[in-house]
Amino acid sequence: MDWVDALQRLREARTPAVIVTLAMVRGHAPRNGGAKLIVSPGALFGTVGGGNLEATAIAQAREMLEAGTDEPRLLTLTLSDRTTTEYGIQCCGGEVTMLLEPVRAVPTVAIFGLGHVGIELARILARHELELVLVDARAEMLDPARLGVPGASGILADAVATVHVRQAPVPETVIADLSPGAHVLVMTHDHGEDLAITDQALRRDDLGSIGLIGSSTKWSRFRVRLTELGHTESEVARVTTPIGIPEIRSKAPASIAVGVAARTLQFIEAAAVTADG
């Protein structure tokens, strides 16, 4: 498999990886400069020459994955029978420098409901490297005149995220399309929709987090209904509500959105550490 295809598949599967590139070769080496190896937690694609140099690169790449390292690393090895290494002798006579570049999994965040809070939240999260899914049953909430066009106009004009806009008459059906590890934020205009979306989200055990906007009274009613729908107490406990951070007490939509965005980024960071470790 071509390394580009391998990397794309890993990104689609939300699997972190390290790209190992034979950046510089002096003298003789098993491969020419530019050779690449993709290292994921459980697989390898391509080669930078095998032997000691490749084994050393793989070990360091896996170490980077476990640590959740974001910074690239340079690794220089002398291929000499006079050099003691952990993975055996490689006496080609040259020296190689490899560049190890971490490729973190791009997280997915789905916002259900693009009302006052939802649109402010979309504005904030669009500035992050995410797969951002914006879902609403109401076409007017997703109208380009209101929401803008990713990379072109409105609040999404300078989006860093890859934005997917979904107008869905039955929003909870979108849950099935989300990638594993996705973070779900529920804030529609209709408590019935909120309940249906939360119910469907709980039926997936591979989501990163589930956040629900609302009061303690709303949540008390939802707990009863979710239990009646067959969810256990431990399953219901997967829902975080109210979403946001308690230090921000303002009820202004933009302020609520800041708190929700901050909490969501905390969930994303925690999930990345768990996945890498």
Side-chain angles (χ1 to χ4, degrees), residues 117 249-256:
V117 175
R249 299 181 180 179
S250 171
K251 293 186 177 181
S255 298
I256 295 172

Side-chain angles (χ1 to χ4, degrees), residues 202-259:
L202 286 174
R203 295 184 188 280
R204 287 190 57 171
D205 60 6
D206 60 349
L207 295 178
S209 65
I210 305 168
L212 172 68
I213 202 168
S215 65
S216 58
T217 300
K218 174 182 175 180
W219 179 233
S220 295
R221 293 173 179 169
F222 272 37
R223 287 180 68 91
V224 172
R225 289 290 294 119
L226 290 168
T227 301
E228 291 173 348
L229 289 167
H231 299 289
T232 65
E233 284 297 321
S234 61
E235 289 171 341
V236 172
R238 291 169 54 205
V239 180
T240 299
T241 187
I243 43 179
I245 54 178
E247 291 80 5
I248 298 179
R249 299 181 180 179
S250 171
K251 293 186 177 181
S255 298
I256 295 172
V258 168

